[in-house]
Amino acid sequence: MSGRILLVSDDIAFLESIGPCCGRIGFTTIMTDNHSDAVSVIAHESPDLVVVDLESPCTHVESIFAFLVDNEPLSSTPILVVTGDRPSLLQSYQK
């Protein structure tokens, strides 16, 4: 496998555990702990997948979604949203 995965979380343990796992199966992993850097990486690196920690206060998931949707070449980029045990928070994003 190959491709680029962007991991966005302020949880360093999450980044340090998931990043190497992705690398071992052949992905290039880009990690950041905030939405500003994430948007910049998306714009310049065009990752194949964006993984966002929903509960991270620094990720501003909405701004990452909006950036992807508003930029046609990037609008088909898949986003995987991960979270802990707060189902009501996740349900607020489902439509």
Side-chain angles (χ1 to χ4, degrees), residues 49-71:
L49 173 66
V50 177
V51 179
V52 180
D53 180 354
L54 182 63
E55 291 189 37
S56 176
C58 299
T59 59
H60 300 280
V61 175
E62 298 88 353
S63 66
I64 295 171
F65 288 168
F67 181 77
L68 286 167
V69 168
D70 292 342
N71 290 280

Side-chain angles (χ1 to χ4, degrees), residues 40-95:
S40 178
V41 167
I42 292 167
H44 294 99
E45 300 288 332
S46 300
D48 299 299
L49 173 66
V50 177
V51 179
V52 180
D53 180 354
L54 182 63
E55 291 189 37
S56 176
C58 299
T59 59
H60 300 280
V61 175
E62 298 88 353
S63 66
I64 295 171
F65 288 168
F67 181 77
L68 286 167
V69 168
D70 292 342
N71 290 280
E72 182 58 37
L74 302 170
S75 63
S76 63
T77 304
I79 303 170
L80 176 62
V81 179
V82 296
T83 188
D85 59 354
R86 294 177 53 193
S88 61
L89 183 61
L90 185 57
Q91 288 172 353
S92 69
Y93 288 95
Q94 296 174 341
K95 295 198 183 215

Side-chain angles (χ1 to χ4, degrees), residues 4-54:
R4 291 177 308 279
I5 298 176
L6 172 60
L7 301 175
V8 187
S9 177
D10 69 340
D11 183 345
I12 300 305
F14 170 79
L15 295 175
E16 290 177 347
S17 63
I18 300 298
C21 290
C22 295
R24 281 193 294 276
I25 58 173
F27 290 97
T28 299
T29 307
I30 307 162
M31 297 181 275
T32 184
D33 65 354
N34 66 76
H35 76 285
S36 297
D37 289 346
V39 168
S40 178
V41 167
I42 292 167
H44 294 99
E45 300 288 332
S46 300
D48 299 299
L49 173 66
V50 177
V51 179
V52 180
D53 180 354
L54 182 63

